[in-house]
Amino acid sequence: MKKQIVIAALSLSAIALGTNQVLAQNSGQVSKSVNIILADVIAMDIGTAASEGTVDFNYRSTKDYNSSKNVTVPNSLVIISSKNFDVKVKSEGTHFVNGANVIPVDILQVKAIPGGSLVGTLNEVTLSTTDQVLVSNASLGAKQSLNIDYSISAEKASKVLLGKPQGTYTQKITYTATAL
């Protein structure tokens, strides 16, 4: 019986030691590398642009032709950029067009105005077919909004618009955000 007790004790000891060894063999340590890979990005979307992206100037009375007109579009553009950037503006053509009738694009002033979340140097430009800096050195960031004011002076309205055939004169304006 002593022999059986010793064998049982040795067996239990072996099982206990074996269990520890099994546990030691089932545990371990592994290292993994985690990479965050960044690329420079810049994108621009139309924000809450008036009339689905259309800005309208209505001239219906003598008062309209003798007054300055402004159309302010809050949150006109929404920009994300991983670097500081400039926003440029230009027209696609030299004239607002209504069939064979034309009005020069330089009748329109475009101005970046305070109130949006975009931070940079805000400028006013006379529209042309050449890229012009509307905002310079804007800070990087996400969902930055830019407010834009469009205006036609009373002087230009009375000298350029008065006497043109009635109708809707159209021109596309392009905004470009360029990383610095």
Side-chain angles (χ1 to χ4, degrees):
M1 176 108 165
K2 279 184 177 181
K3 208 177 190 189
Q4 288 177 340
I5 292 175
V6 171
I7 290 175
L10 286 174
S11 294
L12 288 175
S13 296
I15 290 172
L17 289 174
T19 302
N20 284 340
Q21 289 175 341
V22 169
L23 290 174
Q25 290 173 353
N26 283 338
S27 67
Q29 187 174 13
V30 176
S31 297
K32 290 273 185 192
S33 293
V34 176
N35 299 319
I36 299 175
I37 302 166
L38 302 177
D40 288 332
V41 297
I42 191 164
M44 183 170 27
D45 293 315
I46 293 177
T48 58
S51 305
E52 299 177 15
T54 301
V55 177
D56 291 328
F57 285 87
N58 291 303
Y59 288 86
R60 296 185 178 158
S61 69
T62 56
K63 181 181 175 187
D64 289 334
Y65 287 96
N66 289 314
S67 303
S68 293
K69 288 199 170 262
N70 295 307
V71 177
T72 300
V73 182
N75 304 316
S76 185
L77 302 174
V78 178
I79 302 166
I80 179 173
S81 181
S82 59
K83 292 186 173 187
N84 285 8
F85 60 95
D86 287 344
V87 176
K88 296 177 183 175
V89 61
K90 70 177 183 176
S91 65
E92 289 186 7
T94 57
H95 295 90
F96 290 91
V97 178
N98 177 15
N101 303 307
V102 295
I103 298 169
V105 294
D106 66 359
I107 194 169
L108 186 67
Q109 295 293 119
V110 181
K111 183 178 182 181
I113 59 173
S117 59
L118 187 136
V119 177
T121 303
L122 308 178
N123 300 308
E124 180 175 14
V125 300
T126 300
L127 189 61
S128 75
T129 57
T130 304
D131 269 328
Q132 298 180 74
V133 179
L134 188 62
V135 180
S136 59
N137 198 28
S139 299
L140 62 92
K143 294 185 179 178
Q144 298 184 85
S145 62
L146 176 61
N147 298 338
I148 299 177
D149 184 67
Y150 302 86
S151 63
I152 299 174
S153 71
E155 179 183 359
K156 287 185 177 182
S158 65
K159 288 183 178 180
V160 179
L161 298 180
L162 194 61
K164 292 287 184 187
Q166 74 176 25
T168 301
Y169 292 76
T170 304
Q171 182 53 253
K172 293 217 183 263
I173 297 175
T174 302
Y175 294 93
T176 306
T178 306
L180 299 178

